[in-house]
Amino acid sequence: MGRIYSATFEEVAVSAAQDLFELVAPADLSVLIHGFVFSQSSDAGDSASEQLNVLVHRASASGSGGSTPTPAPMHISTTASTVTVEANNTSQGTEGTILYAECFNVMAGLQVWFPPECRPCISPSGRVVIELQTAPADELTMSGTVFFEEIGG
């Protein structure tokens, strides 16, 4: 087993389609995405309920306009991650091969856990994006976490 990390964003105002997370593997190792979680805390009533589409895809170009959260090791003795993580890129990167697509209700949030044989793999120097493809009808206050593993290197 490799080194496991999480990267998060908290209470971010989301009003447009965007790359919720972008992960870029370093040149000397691969990365497996174990899962991700998204929720919102601003729309609680039935009238605010809406469906949004999320894609996981390979990308050839990076987005911009977001933040660069520092990955946190899940085990206290693990070294710092060498994966580059970006969050909430409002200028989206170039969409490539779609690996996973799902629509979710904003009131319920979204939790995706990939079984071992289905975990998206990012090759050395490769990039995978978790994209909010659909813009919310009104601004949402969202939080999210992605869990990933560095292998090799």
Side-chain angles (χ1 to χ4, degrees):
M1 178 180 256
R3 298 168 303 278
I4 309 290
Y5 300 87
S6 67
T8 64
F9 64 85
E10 299 175 59
E11 308 241 337
V12 172
V14 174
S15 59
Q18 60 190 262
D19 294 343
L20 294 171
F21 283 110
E22 176 183 318
L23 288 84
V24 181
D28 62 344
L29 57 85
S30 296
V31 176
L32 294 174
I33 298 175
H34 284 247
F36 53 87
V37 179
F38 298 114
S39 60
Q40 61 83 29
S41 59
S42 54
D43 284 7
D46 288 345
S47 64
S49 179
E50 60 182 300
Q51 302 288 109
L52 299 178
N53 200 42
V54 169
L55 300 177
V56 177
H57 61 83
R58 300 192 193 287
S60 58
S62 180
S64 63
S67 64
T68 53
T70 301
M74 298 306 288
H75 191 278
I76 196 160
S77 67
T78 302
T79 59
S81 175
T82 57
V83 173
T84 300
V85 179
E86 296 181 5
N88 307 104
N89 285 341
T90 52
S91 294
Q92 295 175 274
T94 304
E95 188 177 301
T97 302
I98 297 172
L99 305 173
Y100 180 84
E102 182 165 346
C103 190
F104 75 102
N105 185 293
V106 297
M107 290 177 59
L110 177 63
Q111 291 190 30
V112 174
W113 301 104
F114 296 107
E117 58 276 3
C118 295
R119 290 180 182 147
C121 183
I122 308 171
S123 62
S125 301
R127 163 185 339 264
V128 165
V129 169
I130 303 170
E131 174 187 353
L132 180 65
Q133 188 182 34
T134 310
D138 61 338
E139 184 176 277
L140 298 174
T141 303
M142 292 185 70
S143 297
T145 304
V146 61
F147 298 90
F148 61 92
E149 177 181 2
E150 293 182 355
I151 54 175

